[in-house]
Amino acid sequence: MNQDNLKVALVTGAAGGIGAATAQVLYEQGFKLVLWDVTDKFDELLINDQDRVITQQVDVTNLDQIQQALQNVRARWGGVSVLINNAGISPKKPDGTGYGILDVSPQEWKKVVDINLTSLLTLIQQTAPDMMAQGWGRIVNLSSQAARTRATVPGVAYVCTKTAVLGLTRYAAEELGPHGITCNAVTPGRIATPMTASAPAEVTARLNNNTPLRRMGTVREVANSIAFFCSPQADFISGAVLDVGGGLFMQ
């Protein structure tokens, strides 16, 4: 087996926030990168390295786009060995809070489920055969602290999908483990991103005050945790949930 084939990482939602930071950290650690987003506005520092970075404008809910993009990756590098399921959405009302049980629309519910949950399953299905063929793979799913504790600010669709991601992670770890593939989840707390910037200032202040470290996290701090699961130091860790929330959630 060519060890270079084990260093091809696909990052979804890679044009900004946690996805862009994760791409940067993995790049610094020597990975080849496949960067996906619904936009084509990727980090200039990364896209300039055409030997190690492929950028593709992909809707993670569109199976045809996914299969065509992966076909191009396989033709160039043989396939994907690391999957970072980062793409996600958290729709908000004008006041910055999410829609609850009594006011979430069927259309919003379906859209959030399709992006935050179903796309993760689809991408695992589409990339796991490459990992199985080489006897090695790493999958990291992005969930949320909203899946671990009481949360209403993000909205019911977001909370339910991010909770389901933890179940998908455990199931994938069990089924794919015999093939040398680990699957773990990272649950960020309040992280400074455009998504959290839409929340009311009083909500952010209250959550920061409830966080032992008394601040929001950075995208780089989450990215470092994601990269850990892709490193040799995590070779015997699978089905785990890593809370990156400054102590906001404690079991």
Side-chain angles (χ1 to χ4, degrees):
M1 182 187 304
N2 184 348
Q3 292 299 308
D4 286 343
N5 292 340
L6 304 181
K7 299 281 282 187
V8 179
L10 166 60
V11 183
T12 67
I18 291 172
T22 300
Q24 183 63 49
V25 171
L26 293 177
Y27 180 81
E28 292 168 3
Q29 295 182 358
F31 283 84
K32 295 177 181 176
L33 297 178
V34 181
L35 307 182
W36 287 5
D37 208 299
V38 290
T39 178
D40 60 356
K41 306 301 182 182
F42 296 95
D43 189 328
E44 291 291 337
L45 295 177
L46 293 178
I47 63 176
N48 287 336
D49 189 346
Q50 298 182 6
D51 291 331
R52 286 180 53 201
V53 181
I54 297 174
T55 58
Q56 297 170 312
Q57 193 170 358
V58 176
D59 177 351
V60 293
T61 68
N62 187 312
L63 181 58
D64 289 339
Q65 289 185 23
I66 289 171
Q67 291 178 329
Q68 182 59 55
L70 287 175
Q71 183 177 338
N72 294 338
V73 173
R74 291 186 185 107
R76 181 171 175 184
W77 287 335
V80 169
S81 52
V82 172
L83 170 62
I84 311 299
N85 270 321
N86 169 70
I89 61 171
S90 181
K92 297 290 192 294
K93 299 177 185 178
D95 67 358
T97 61
Y99 292 88
I101 289 175
L102 298 183
D103 54 5
V104 65
S105 68
Q107 295 78 19
E108 178 177 303
W109 176 270
K110 183 179 186 304
K111 182 177 181 180
V112 177
V113 170
D114 286 347
I115 295 174
N116 288 9
L117 180 61
T118 305
S119 74
L120 278 66
L121 172 63
T122 301
L123 283 166
I124 293 172
Q125 291 174 325
Q126 295 298 312
T127 59
D130 292 342
M131 302 179 195
M132 293 167 69
Q134 59 193 16
W136 189 93
R138 298 289 178 263
I139 300 169
V140 183
N141 295 325
L142 269 291
S143 178
S144 168
Q145 294 277 278
R148 304 280 273 166
T149 186
R150 296 166 58 189
T152 56
V153 172
V156 63
Y158 182 86
V159 171
C160 288
T161 53
K162 291 301 185 178
T163 302
V165 166
L166 300 182
L168 176 62
T169 298
R170 290 190 291 268
Y171 199 100
E174 176 70 26
E175 183 171 327
L176 301 177
H179 302 282
I181 302 169
T182 66
C183 185
N184 296 287
V186 172
T187 56
R190 297 292 294 176
I191 307 300
T193 67
M195 184 182 293
T196 57
S198 63
E202 61 271 19
V203 171
T204 296
R206 173 171 54 83
L207 290 172
N208 285 352
N209 190 56
N210 290 337
T211 300
L213 290 182
R214 298 295 193 274
R215 66 174 176 86
M216 298 180 75
T218 69
V219 292
R220 180 79 182 200
E221 287 168 328
V222 180
N224 287 336
S225 300
I226 294 169
F228 166 72
F229 281 131
C230 306
S231 72
Q233 287 74 24
D235 280 349
F236 200 57
I237 301 175
S238 195
V241 178
L242 180 57
D243 296 305
V244 187
L248 181 63
F249 172 77
M250 297 188 193
Q251 290 180 310

